[in-house]
Amino acid sequence: MAANPREIRLSDTRRHLDIIWDDGTASRLAAATLRAHSRSAEAVRAGIDGLLPTLAQDIAIADVVPVGAYAVNLVFSDGHGRGIFPWPYLRALGDGAEA
């Protein structure tokens, strides 16, 4: 399983992050999925409780910022801007996520 992206693209609606991995596999991750699986205190607490965090229905990705050569920082429309997603974590979400 390749864990390095060849290409990362934000959809026109900002509701999906499209990733093409080194092995040619494509992942389409919904902004809501990414926000729910961010490592924010709210998301971690909800996970401990066996729940998903409560999110706005219209959540979008406001910005995608590279973090070195290992991750991206996703900034969400609800103001959460510290969502660092390493490549292996994004790949795992992409392999199991439904967009």
Side-chain angles (χ1 to χ4, degrees):
M1 167 170 72
N4 292 309
R6 184 181 330 153
E7 182 179 347
I8 299 175
R9 193 175 325 140
L10 187 57
S11 71
D12 291 340
T13 64
R14 299 186 164 276
R15 300 273 173 103
H16 292 92
L17 189 67
D18 295 314
I19 304 170
I20 306 296
W21 298 97
D22 278 344
D23 66 358
T25 302
S27 298
R28 183 171 182 91
L29 293 160
T33 298
L34 291 164
R35 179 62 178 92
H37 289 90
S38 72
R39 295 179 178 159
S40 68
E42 172 192 17
V44 171
R45 179 74 247 174
I48 290 168
D49 294 339
L51 307 168
L52 288 176
T54 303
L55 302 172
Q57 292 289 82
D58 61 348
I59 192 86
I61 299 168
D63 200 5
V64 180
V65 182
V67 177
Y70 74 95
V72 288
N73 179 44
L74 300 179
V75 179
F76 296 93
S77 60
D78 67 353
H80 180 67
R82 301 182 65 100
I84 296 177
F85 292 81
W87 306 144
Y89 189 57
L90 278 174
R91 179 64 191 252
L93 288 173
D95 288 347
E98 296 178 19

